[in-house]
Amino acid sequence: MEFGPDFWSFIFRWLHVLSGVMWIGLLWYFNFVQVPSMPEIPDDQKPAISKVIAPRALFWFRWSAASTIVFGLLVAWMEGYILEALALGLTTNAAEFAIIGFGMWFGLIMMFNVWVIIWPNQQKVLGMKQAGDEEKKRAARMALLASRTNVMLSIPMLFAMLGMRHFAYMIG
């Protein structure tokens, strides 16, 4: 077996998909399960979530976001379309690169939200960083809004990632 570019492209694509499944799965878990369930959880049980479950889930959430982006960019680079995709197909007038490019940009925006907005604010909410009650309340709101934004961006992002090769041929 030869460990050439095709092999590594396959490995990075597979790692991109696995990381993406974890990232979007955790994103949807937070937004559709954990956050809506919090008012129903008795106060004496909430520390288990904020001290044990949420920090661990946020660890995997942010690192799966980073690895999804890194592996996706590696695939685009190895397949030779990274610049065309990041330019949204404008350099080649190709729908295929425009579609994957929009998905890549949505993913980059989402990762920015994870690392720059959600994670620093969640650290305040969970007591991992010092913050007063008002600051925690603002931090919770910012993290929630960024997370909900990511949920909305995940839908066209997933469409773009899956539709790159298929939808582009239907319209082009």
PDB file of all heavy atoms in Angstrom, residues 99-135:
ATOM      1  N   ILE A  99     -19.959  26.941  -4.051  1.00  0.00           N
ATOM      2  CA  ILE A  99     -20.747  26.216  -3.051  1.00  0.00           C
ATOM      3  C   ILE A  99     -19.867  25.756  -1.895  1.00  0.00           C
ATOM      4  O   ILE A  99     -20.177  26.022  -0.728  1.00  0.00           O
ATOM      5  CB  ILE A  99     -21.488  25.023  -3.703  1.00  0.00           C
ATOM      6  CG1 ILE A  99     -22.560  25.560  -4.654  1.00  0.00           C
ATOM      7  CG2 ILE A  99     -22.105  24.130  -2.634  1.00  0.00           C
ATOM      8  CD1 ILE A  99     -23.178  24.499  -5.538  1.00  0.00           C
ATOM      9  N   ILE A 100     -18.761  25.090  -2.191  1.00  0.00           N
ATOM     10  CA  ILE A 100     -17.889  24.629  -1.104  1.00  0.00           C
ATOM     11  C   ILE A 100     -17.273  25.819  -0.380  1.00  0.00           C
ATOM     12  O   ILE A 100     -17.076  25.792   0.834  1.00  0.00           O
ATOM     13  CB  ILE A 100     -16.811  23.637  -1.608  1.00  0.00           C
ATOM     14  CG1 ILE A 100     -16.119  22.937  -0.430  1.00  0.00           C
ATOM     15  CG2 ILE A 100     -15.768  24.316  -2.464  1.00  0.00           C
ATOM     16  CD1 ILE A 100     -16.964  21.969   0.305  1.00  0.00           C
ATOM     17  N   GLY A 101     -17.009  26.897  -1.114  1.00  0.00           N
ATOM     18  CA  GLY A 101     -16.447  28.105  -0.503  1.00  0.00           C
ATOM     19  C   GLY A 101     -17.379  28.719   0.520  1.00  0.00           C
ATOM     20  O   GLY A 101     -16.952  29.133   1.603  1.00  0.00           O
ATOM     21  N   PHE A 102     -18.673  28.798   0.193  1.00  0.00           N
ATOM     22  CA  PHE A 102     -19.626  29.307   1.175  1.00  0.00           C
ATOM     23  C   PHE A 102     -19.636  28.414   2.411  1.00  0.00           C
ATOM     24  O   PHE A 102     -19.677  28.909   3.545  1.00  0.00           O
ATOM     25  CB  PHE A 102     -21.031  29.444   0.580  1.00  0.00           C
ATOM     26  CG  PHE A 102     -21.228  30.726  -0.156  1.00  0.00           C
ATOM     27  CD1 PHE A 102     -21.265  30.744  -1.544  1.00  0.00           C
ATOM     28  CD2 PHE A 102     -21.368  31.925   0.532  1.00  0.00           C
ATOM     29  CE1 PHE A 102     -21.431  31.934  -2.235  1.00  0.00           C
ATOM     30  CE2 PHE A 102     -21.534  33.118  -0.150  1.00  0.00           C
ATOM     31  CZ  PHE A 102     -21.564  33.128  -1.542  1.00  0.00           C
ATOM     32  N   GLY A 103     -19.585  27.110   2.210  1.00  0.00           N
ATOM     33  CA  GLY A 103     -19.527  26.196   3.351  1.00  0.00           C
ATOM     34  C   GLY A 103     -18.280  26.414   4.188  1.00  0.00           C
ATOM     35  O   GLY A 103     -18.332  26.423   5.427  1.00  0.00           O
ATOM     36  N   MET A 104     -17.149  26.634   3.505  1.00  0.00           N
ATOM     37  CA  MET A 104     -15.899  26.875   4.229  1.00  0.00           C
ATOM     38  C   MET A 104     -15.981  28.172   5.034  1.00  0.00           C
ATOM     39  O   MET A 104     -15.572  28.207   6.200  1.00  0.00           O
ATOM     40  CB  MET A 104     -14.730  26.917   3.251  1.00  0.00           C
ATOM     41  CG  MET A 104     -14.398  25.555   2.656  1.00  0.00           C
ATOM     42  SD  MET A 104     -13.283  25.646   1.233  1.00  0.00           S
ATOM     43  CE  MET A 104     -11.734  26.002   2.045  1.00  0.00           C
ATOM     44  N   TRP A 105     -16.502  29.228   4.422  1.00  0.00           N
ATOM     45  CA  TRP A 105     -16.606  30.513   5.134  1.00  0.00           C
ATOM     46  C   TRP A 105     -17.580  30.427   6.302  1.00  0.00           C
ATOM     47  O   TRP A 105     -17.325  30.987   7.374  1.00  0.00           O
ATOM     48  CB  TRP A 105     -16.966  31.646   4.179  1.00  0.00           C
ATOM     49  CG  TRP A 105     -15.745  32.137   3.444  1.00  0.00           C
ATOM     50  CD1 TRP A 105     -15.448  31.946   2.131  1.00  0.00           C
ATOM     51  CD2 TRP A 105     -14.653  32.866   4.007  1.00  0.00           C
ATOM     52  NE1 TRP A 105     -14.232  32.515   1.832  1.00  0.00           N
ATOM     53  CE2 TRP A 105     -13.722  33.087   2.965  1.00  0.00           C
ATOM     54  CE3 TRP A 105     -14.358  33.353   5.268  1.00  0.00           C
ATOM     55  CZ2 TRP A 105     -12.523  33.776   3.155  1.00  0.00           C
ATOM     56  CZ3 TRP A 105     -13.161  34.035   5.469  1.00  0.00           C
ATOM     57  CH2 TRP A 105     -12.266  34.242   4.427  1.00  0.00           C
ATOM     58  N   PHE A 106     -18.707  29.725   6.114  1.00  0.00           N
ATOM     59  CA  PHE A 106     -19.628  29.541   7.239  1.00  0.00           C
ATOM     60  C   PHE A 106     -18.924  28.795   8.369  1.00  0.00           C
ATOM     61  O   PHE A 106     -19.062  29.138   9.543  1.00  0.00           O
ATOM     62  CB  PHE A 106     -20.898  28.795   6.822  1.00  0.00           C
ATOM     63  CG  PHE A 106     -21.849  29.598   5.990  1.00  0.00           C
ATOM     64  CD1 PHE A 106     -22.632  28.977   5.046  1.00  0.00           C
ATOM     65  CD2 PHE A 106     -21.982  30.964   6.148  1.00  0.00           C
ATOM     66  CE1 PHE A 106     -23.530  29.703   4.267  1.00  0.00           C
ATOM     67  CE2 PHE A 106     -22.867  31.704   5.382  1.00  0.00           C
ATOM     68  CZ  PHE A 106     -23.646  31.068   4.437  1.00  0.00           C
ATOM     69  N   GLY A 107     -18.170  27.750   8.017  1.00  0.00           N
ATOM     70  CA  GLY A 107     -17.416  26.998   9.024  1.00  0.00           C
ATOM     71  C   GLY A 107     -16.393  27.861   9.740  1.00  0.00           C
ATOM     72  O   GLY A 107     -16.230  27.766  10.964  1.00  0.00           O
ATOM     73  N   LEU A 108     -15.696  28.714   8.994  1.00  0.00           N
ATOM     74  CA  LEU A 108     -14.709  29.611   9.617  1.00  0.00           C
ATOM     75  C   LEU A 108     -15.387  30.601  10.566  1.00  0.00           C
ATOM     76  O   LEU A 108     -14.880  30.864  11.660  1.00  0.00           O
ATOM     77  CB  LEU A 108     -13.915  30.352   8.540  1.00  0.00           C
ATOM     78  CG  LEU A 108     -12.911  29.497   7.765  1.00  0.00           C
ATOM     79  CD1 LEU A 108     -12.445  30.222   6.504  1.00  0.00           C
ATOM     80  CD2 LEU A 108     -11.732  29.118   8.644  1.00  0.00           C
ATOM     81  N   ILE A 109     -16.511  31.143  10.161  1.00  0.00           N
ATOM     82  CA  ILE A 109     -17.266  32.055  11.035  1.00  0.00           C
ATOM     83  C   ILE A 109     -17.723  31.312  12.291  1.00  0.00           C
ATOM     84  O   ILE A 109     -17.612  31.825  13.412  1.00  0.00           O
ATOM     85  CB  ILE A 109     -18.467  32.656  10.284  1.00  0.00           C
ATOM     86  CG1 ILE A 109     -17.990  33.597   9.185  1.00  0.00           C
ATOM     87  CG2 ILE A 109     -19.420  33.369  11.252  1.00  0.00           C
ATOM     88  CD1 ILE A 109     -19.066  33.966   8.174  1.00  0.00           C
ATOM     89  N   MET A 110     -18.206  30.093  12.097  1.00  0.00           N
ATOM     90  CA  MET A 110     -18.674  29.303  13.228  1.00  0.00           C
ATOM     91  C   MET A 110     -17.539  28.989  14.193  1.00  0.00           C
ATOM     92  O   MET A 110     -17.710  29.049  15.410  1.00  0.00           O
ATOM     93  CB  MET A 110     -19.332  28.014  12.726  1.00  0.00           C
ATOM     94  CG  MET A 110     -20.653  28.249  12.016  1.00  0.00           C
ATOM     95  SD  MET A 110     -21.240  26.784  11.134  1.00  0.00           S
ATOM     96  CE  MET A 110     -21.464  25.626  12.484  1.00  0.00           C
ATOM     97  N   MET A 111     -16.361  28.652  13.659  1.00  0.00           N
ATOM     98  CA  MET A 111     -15.230  28.368  14.543  1.00  0.00           C
ATOM     99  C   MET A 111     -14.817  29.637  15.296  1.00  0.00           C
ATOM    100  O   MET A 111     -14.480  29.578  16.484  1.00  0.00           O
ATOM    101  CB  MET A 111     -14.040  27.788  13.788  1.00  0.00           C
ATOM    102  CG  MET A 111     -12.940  27.344  14.762  1.00  0.00           C
ATOM    103  SD  MET A 111     -11.457  26.700  14.016  1.00  0.00           S
ATOM    104  CE  MET A 111     -10.726  28.179  13.359  1.00  0.00           C
ATOM    105  N   PHE A 112     -14.838  30.780  14.605  1.00  0.00           N
ATOM    106  CA  PHE A 112     -14.558  32.046  15.276  1.00  0.00           C
ATOM    107  C   PHE A 112     -15.530  32.232  16.439  1.00  0.00           C
ATOM    108  O   PHE A 112     -15.111  32.585  17.554  1.00  0.00           O
ATOM    109  CB  PHE A 112     -14.680  33.211  14.277  1.00  0.00           C
ATOM    110  CG  PHE A 112     -14.513  34.565  14.910  1.00  0.00           C
ATOM    111  CD1 PHE A 112     -13.254  35.118  15.050  1.00  0.00           C
ATOM    112  CD2 PHE A 112     -15.617  35.277  15.365  1.00  0.00           C
ATOM    113  CE1 PHE A 112     -13.086  36.368  15.643  1.00  0.00           C
ATOM    114  CE2 PHE A 112     -15.464  36.524  15.958  1.00  0.00           C
ATOM    115  CZ  PHE A 112     -14.199  37.072  16.098  1.00  0.00           C
ATOM    116  N   ASN A 113     -16.806  32.008  16.205  1.00  0.00           N
ATOM    117  CA  ASN A 113     -17.803  32.132  17.275  1.00  0.00           C
ATOM    118  C   ASN A 113     -17.483  31.210  18.449  1.00  0.00           C
ATOM    119  O   ASN A 113     -17.611  31.604  19.602  1.00  0.00           O
ATOM    120  CB  ASN A 113     -19.208  31.831  16.754  1.00  0.00           C
ATOM    121  CG  ASN A 113     -19.802  32.973  15.971  1.00  0.00           C
ATOM    122  OD1 ASN A 113     -19.318  34.089  16.006  1.00  0.00           O
ATOM    123  ND2 ASN A 113     -20.861  32.682  15.233  1.00  0.00           N
ATOM    124  N   VAL A 114     -17.068  29.980  18.144  1.00  0.00           N
ATOM    125  CA  VAL A 114     -16.752  29.016  19.200  1.00  0.00           C
ATOM    126  C   VAL A 114     -15.606  29.517  20.068  1.00  0.00           C
ATOM    127  O   VAL A 114     -15.707  29.545  21.295  1.00  0.00           O
ATOM    128  CB  VAL A 114     -16.403  27.629  18.605  1.00  0.00           C
ATOM    129  CG1 VAL A 114     -15.772  26.715  19.657  1.00  0.00           C
ATOM    130  CG2 VAL A 114     -17.637  26.972  18.010  1.00  0.00           C
ATOM    131  N   TRP A 115     -14.503  29.908  19.447  1.00  0.00           N
ATOM    132  CA  TRP A 115     -13.286  30.231  20.185  1.00  0.00           C
ATOM    133  C   TRP A 115     -13.260  31.652  20.746  1.00  0.00           C
ATOM    134  O   TRP A 115     -12.660  31.889  21.793  1.00  0.00           O
ATOM    135  CB  TRP A 115     -12.058  29.995  19.311  1.00  0.00           C
ATOM    136  CG  TRP A 115     -11.728  28.542  19.233  1.00  0.00           C
ATOM    137  CD1 TRP A 115     -12.156  27.652  18.289  1.00  0.00           C
ATOM    138  CD2 TRP A 115     -10.938  27.792  20.144  1.00  0.00           C
ATOM    139  NE1 TRP A 115     -11.668  26.398  18.565  1.00  0.00           N
ATOM    140  CE2 TRP A 115     -10.903  26.462  19.696  1.00  0.00           C
ATOM    141  CE3 TRP A 115     -10.243  28.119  21.296  1.00  0.00           C
ATOM    142  CZ2 TRP A 115     -10.211  25.465  20.366  1.00  0.00           C
ATOM    143  CZ3 TRP A 115      -9.540  27.130  21.963  1.00  0.00           C
ATOM    144  CH2 TRP A 115      -9.540  25.813  21.496  1.00  0.00           C
ATOM    145  N   VAL A 116     -13.899  32.602  20.064  1.00  0.00           N
ATOM    146  CA  VAL A 116     -13.780  34.012  20.451  1.00  0.00           C
ATOM    147  C   VAL A 116     -15.002  34.508  21.232  1.00  0.00           C
ATOM    148  O   VAL A 116     -14.885  35.415  22.039  1.00  0.00           O
ATOM    149  CB  VAL A 116     -13.520  34.890  19.206  1.00  0.00           C
ATOM    150  CG1 VAL A 116     -13.453  36.359  19.548  1.00  0.00           C
ATOM    151  CG2 VAL A 116     -12.237  34.441  18.511  1.00  0.00           C
ATOM    152  N   ILE A 117     -16.160  33.912  21.014  1.00  0.00           N
ATOM    153  CA  ILE A 117     -17.362  34.381  21.713  1.00  0.00           C
ATOM    154  C   ILE A 117     -17.892  33.331  22.694  1.00  0.00           C
ATOM    155  O   ILE A 117     -18.032  33.600  23.888  1.00  0.00           O
ATOM    156  CB  ILE A 117     -18.456  34.795  20.702  1.00  0.00           C
ATOM    157  CG1 ILE A 117     -17.931  35.932  19.818  1.00  0.00           C
ATOM    158  CG2 ILE A 117     -19.728  35.224  21.453  1.00  0.00           C
ATOM    159  CD1 ILE A 117     -18.842  36.314  18.679  1.00  0.00           C
ATOM    160  N   ILE A 118     -18.175  32.141  22.208  1.00  0.00           N
ATOM    161  CA  ILE A 118     -18.815  31.136  23.063  1.00  0.00           C
ATOM    162  C   ILE A 118     -17.903  30.702  24.213  1.00  0.00           C
ATOM    163  O   ILE A 118     -18.289  30.766  25.382  1.00  0.00           O
ATOM    164  CB  ILE A 118     -19.281  29.916  22.234  1.00  0.00           C
ATOM    165  CG1 ILE A 118     -20.342  30.352  21.212  1.00  0.00           C
ATOM    166  CG2 ILE A 118     -19.808  28.811  23.142  1.00  0.00           C
ATOM    167  CD1 ILE A 118     -20.696  29.285  20.174  1.00  0.00           C
ATOM    168  N   TRP A 119     -16.703  30.245  23.919  1.00  0.00           N
ATOM    169  CA  TRP A 119     -15.825  29.681  24.943  1.00  0.00           C
ATOM    170  C   TRP A 119     -15.448  30.702  26.025  1.00  0.00           C
ATOM    171  O   TRP A 119     -15.622  30.419  27.218  1.00  0.00           O
ATOM    172  CB  TRP A 119     -14.601  29.051  24.308  1.00  0.00           C
ATOM    173  CG  TRP A 119     -13.573  28.566  25.287  1.00  0.00           C
ATOM    174  CD1 TRP A 119     -12.262  28.907  25.324  1.00  0.00           C
ATOM    175  CD2 TRP A 119     -13.763  27.645  26.380  1.00  0.00           C
ATOM    176  NE1 TRP A 119     -11.624  28.281  26.367  1.00  0.00           N
ATOM    177  CE2 TRP A 119     -12.531  27.494  27.025  1.00  0.00           C
ATOM    178  CE3 TRP A 119     -14.859  26.960  26.872  1.00  0.00           C
ATOM    179  CZ2 TRP A 119     -12.357  26.680  28.140  1.00  0.00           C
ATOM    180  CZ3 TRP A 119     -14.689  26.140  27.984  1.00  0.00           C
ATOM    181  CH2 TRP A 119     -13.448  26.008  28.601  1.00  0.00           C
ATOM    182  N   PRO A 120     -14.977  31.897  25.681  1.00  0.00           N
ATOM    183  CA  PRO A 120     -14.649  32.848  26.757  1.00  0.00           C
ATOM    184  C   PRO A 120     -15.859  33.212  27.627  1.00  0.00           C
ATOM    185  O   PRO A 120     -15.726  33.364  28.847  1.00  0.00           O
ATOM    186  CB  PRO A 120     -14.135  34.087  26.014  1.00  0.00           C
ATOM    187  CG  PRO A 120     -13.668  33.572  24.698  1.00  0.00           C
ATOM    188  CD  PRO A 120     -14.583  32.425  24.378  1.00  0.00           C
ATOM    189  N   ASN A 121     -17.028  33.325  27.020  1.00  0.00           N
ATOM    190  CA  ASN A 121     -18.224  33.653  27.798  1.00  0.00           C
ATOM    191  C   ASN A 121     -18.686  32.475  28.648  1.00  0.00           C
ATOM    192  O   ASN A 121     -19.141  32.656  29.775  1.00  0.00           O
ATOM    193  CB  ASN A 121     -19.334  34.157  26.877  1.00  0.00           C
ATOM    194  CG  ASN A 121     -19.093  35.598  26.477  1.00  0.00           C
ATOM    195  OD1 ASN A 121     -19.079  36.486  27.314  1.00  0.00           O
ATOM    196  ND2 ASN A 121     -18.870  35.835  25.204  1.00  0.00           N
ATOM    197  N   GLN A 122     -18.574  31.267  28.125  1.00  0.00           N
ATOM    198  CA  GLN A 122     -18.956  30.086  28.901  1.00  0.00           C
ATOM    199  C   GLN A 122     -18.041  29.897  30.103  1.00  0.00           C
ATOM    200  O   GLN A 122     -18.472  29.412  31.144  1.00  0.00           O
ATOM    201  CB  GLN A 122     -18.961  28.825  28.032  1.00  0.00           C
ATOM    202  CG  GLN A 122     -20.168  28.703  27.156  1.00  0.00           C
ATOM    203  CD  GLN A 122     -21.444  28.486  27.951  1.00  0.00           C
ATOM    204  OE1 GLN A 122     -21.459  28.345  29.167  1.00  0.00           O
ATOM    205  NE2 GLN A 122     -22.566  28.481  27.254  1.00  0.00           N
ATOM    206  N   GLN A 123     -16.788  30.280  29.966  1.00  0.00           N
ATOM    207  CA  GLN A 123     -15.879  30.173  31.113  1.00  0.00           C
ATOM    208  C   GLN A 123     -16.381  31.043  32.264  1.00  0.00           C
ATOM    209  O   GLN A 123     -16.274  30.651  33.429  1.00  0.00           O
ATOM    210  CB  GLN A 123     -14.464  30.594  30.704  1.00  0.00           C
ATOM    211  CG  GLN A 123     -13.782  29.562  29.829  1.00  0.00           C
ATOM    212  CD  GLN A 123     -12.426  30.044  29.358  1.00  0.00           C
ATOM    213  OE1 GLN A 123     -12.311  31.053  28.693  1.00  0.00           O
ATOM    214  NE2 GLN A 123     -11.395  29.323  29.752  1.00  0.00           N
ATOM    215  N   LYS A 124     -16.920  32.215  31.958  1.00  0.00           N
ATOM    216  CA  LYS A 124     -17.487  33.088  33.001  1.00  0.00           C
ATOM    217  C   LYS A 124     -18.750  32.469  33.588  1.00  0.00           C
ATOM    218  O   LYS A 124     -18.935  32.441  34.803  1.00  0.00           O
ATOM    219  CB  LYS A 124     -17.806  34.464  32.416  1.00  0.00           C
ATOM    220  CG  LYS A 124     -16.584  35.243  32.014  1.00  0.00           C
ATOM    221  CD  LYS A 124     -16.974  36.530  31.309  1.00  0.00           C
ATOM    222  CE  LYS A 124     -15.746  37.229  30.757  1.00  0.00           C
ATOM    223  NZ  LYS A 124     -16.114  38.408  29.944  1.00  0.00           N
ATOM    224  N   VAL A 125     -19.617  31.961  32.702  1.00  0.00           N
ATOM    225  CA  VAL A 125     -20.884  31.379  33.158  1.00  0.00           C
ATOM    226  C   VAL A 125     -20.644  30.175  34.063  1.00  0.00           C
ATOM    227  O   VAL A 125     -21.319  30.005  35.079  1.00  0.00           O
ATOM    228  CB  VAL A 125     -21.755  30.969  31.939  1.00  0.00           C
ATOM    229  CG1 VAL A 125     -22.974  30.182  32.370  1.00  0.00           C
ATOM    230  CG2 VAL A 125     -22.155  32.197  31.131  1.00  0.00           C
ATOM    231  N   LEU A 126     -19.668  29.361  33.720  1.00  0.00           N
ATOM    232  CA  LEU A 126     -19.396  28.132  34.472  1.00  0.00           C
ATOM    233  C   LEU A 126     -18.491  28.355  35.682  1.00  0.00           C
ATOM    234  O   LEU A 126     -18.163  27.417  36.394  1.00  0.00           O
ATOM    235  CB  LEU A 126     -18.778  27.082  33.550  1.00  0.00           C
ATOM    236  CG  LEU A 126     -19.669  26.614  32.400  1.00  0.00           C
ATOM    237  CD1 LEU A 126     -18.904  25.704  31.463  1.00  0.00           C
ATOM    238  CD2 LEU A 126     -20.920  25.926  32.930  1.00  0.00           C
ATOM    239  N   GLY A 127     -18.058  29.597  35.902  1.00  0.00           N
ATOM    240  CA  GLY A 127     -17.207  29.888  37.051  1.00  0.00           C
ATOM    241  C   GLY A 127     -15.752  29.520  36.847  1.00  0.00           C
ATOM    242  O   GLY A 127     -14.996  29.436  37.816  1.00  0.00           O
ATOM    243  N   MET A 128     -15.345  29.299  35.616  1.00  0.00           N
ATOM    244  CA  MET A 128     -13.947  28.987  35.329  1.00  0.00           C
ATOM    245  C   MET A 128     -13.103  30.262  35.280  1.00  0.00           C
ATOM    246  O   MET A 128     -11.882  30.198  35.369  1.00  0.00           O
ATOM    247  CB  MET A 128     -13.847  28.226  34.005  1.00  0.00           C
ATOM    248  CG  MET A 128     -14.618  26.915  34.022  1.00  0.00           C
ATOM    249  SD  MET A 128     -14.842  26.240  32.373  1.00  0.00           S
ATOM    250  CE  MET A 128     -13.427  25.166  32.290  1.00  0.00           C
ATOM    251  N   LYS A 129     -13.771  31.398  35.108  1.00  0.00           N
ATOM    252  CA  LYS A 129     -13.154  32.726  35.171  1.00  0.00           C
ATOM    253  C   LYS A 129     -13.991  33.581  36.102  1.00  0.00           C
ATOM    254  O   LYS A 129     -15.212  33.453  36.129  1.00  0.00           O
ATOM    255  CB  LYS A 129     -13.127  33.383  33.785  1.00  0.00           C
ATOM    256  CG  LYS A 129     -12.049  32.903  32.871  1.00  0.00           C
ATOM    257  CD  LYS A 129     -12.009  33.778  31.625  1.00  0.00           C
ATOM    258  CE  LYS A 129     -10.870  33.369  30.727  1.00  0.00           C
ATOM    259  NZ  LYS A 129     -10.875  34.162  29.491  1.00  0.00           N
ATOM    260  N   GLN A 130     -13.345  34.457  36.843  1.00  0.00           N
ATOM    261  CA  GLN A 130     -14.048  35.343  37.768  1.00  0.00           C
ATOM    262  C   GLN A 130     -14.999  36.262  37.008  1.00  0.00           C
ATOM    263  O   GLN A 130     -14.631  36.840  35.995  1.00  0.00           O
ATOM    264  CB  GLN A 130     -13.038  36.196  38.535  1.00  0.00           C
ATOM    265  CG  GLN A 130     -12.220  35.428  39.546  1.00  0.00           C
ATOM    266  CD  GLN A 130     -12.999  35.219  40.831  1.00  0.00           C
ATOM    267  OE1 GLN A 130     -13.940  35.941  41.140  1.00  0.00           O
ATOM    268  NE2 GLN A 130     -12.613  34.203  41.599  1.00  0.00           N
ATOM    269  N   ALA A 131     -16.226  36.361  37.487  1.00  0.00           N
ATOM    270  CA  ALA A 131     -17.210  37.267  36.908  1.00  0.00           C
ATOM    271  C   ALA A 131     -18.331  37.488  37.920  1.00  0.00           C
ATOM    272  O   ALA A 131     -18.726  36.555  38.623  1.00  0.00           O
ATOM    273  CB  ALA A 131     -17.776  36.700  35.613  1.00  0.00           C
ATOM    274  N   GLY A 132     -18.823  38.729  37.969  1.00  0.00           N
ATOM    275  CA  GLY A 132     -19.948  39.040  38.837  1.00  0.00           C
ATOM    276  C   GLY A 132     -21.249  38.538  38.225  1.00  0.00           C
ATOM    277  O   GLY A 132     -21.280  38.071  37.079  1.00  0.00           O
ATOM    278  N   ASP A 133     -22.325  38.644  38.973  1.00  0.00           N
ATOM    279  CA  ASP A 133     -23.621  38.134  38.514  1.00  0.00           C
ATOM    280  C   ASP A 133     -24.087  38.795  37.219  1.00  0.00           C
ATOM    281  O   ASP A 133     -24.565  38.112  36.316  1.00  0.00           O
ATOM    282  CB  ASP A 133     -24.683  38.299  39.600  1.00  0.00           C
ATOM    283  CG  ASP A 133     -24.460  37.352  40.767  1.00  0.00           C
ATOM    284  OD1 ASP A 133     -23.723  36.359  40.596  1.00  0.00           O
ATOM    285  OD2 ASP A 133     -25.027  37.605  41.850  1.00  0.00           O
ATOM    286  N   GLU A 134     -23.965  40.108  37.132  1.00  0.00           N
ATOM    287  CA  GLU A 134     -24.385  40.807  35.905  1.00  0.00           C
ATOM    288  C   GLU A 134     -23.525  40.410  34.716  1.00  0.00           C
ATOM    289  O   GLU A 134     -24.016  40.228  33.607  1.00  0.00           O
ATOM    290  CB  GLU A 134     -24.349  42.333  36.096  1.00  0.00           C
ATOM    291  CG  GLU A 134     -25.576  42.890  36.762  1.00  0.00           C
ATOM    292  CD  GLU A 134     -26.863  42.540  36.013  1.00  0.00           C
ATOM    293  OE1 GLU A 134     -26.960  42.767  34.790  1.00  0.00           O
ATOM    294  OE2 GLU A 134     -27.796  42.031  36.673  1.00  0.00           O
ATOM    295  N   GLU A 135     -22.225  40.286  34.957  1.00  0.00           N
ATOM    296  CA  GLU A 135     -21.319  39.886  33.880  1.00  0.00           C
ATOM    297  C   GLU A 135     -21.612  38.455  33.420  1.00  0.00           C
ATOM    298  O   GLU A 135     -21.580  38.154  32.228  1.00  0.00           O
ATOM    299  CB  GLU A 135     -19.863  40.010  34.335  1.00  0.00           C
ATOM    300  CG  GLU A 135     -18.866  39.846  33.212  1.00  0.00           C
ATOM    301  CD  GLU A 135     -17.431  40.046  33.650  1.00  0.00           C
ATOM    302  OE1 GLU A 135     -17.178  40.314  34.838  1.00  0.00           O
ATOM    303  OE2 GLU A 135     -16.554  39.916  32.778  1.00  0.00           O
TER     304      GLU A 135
END
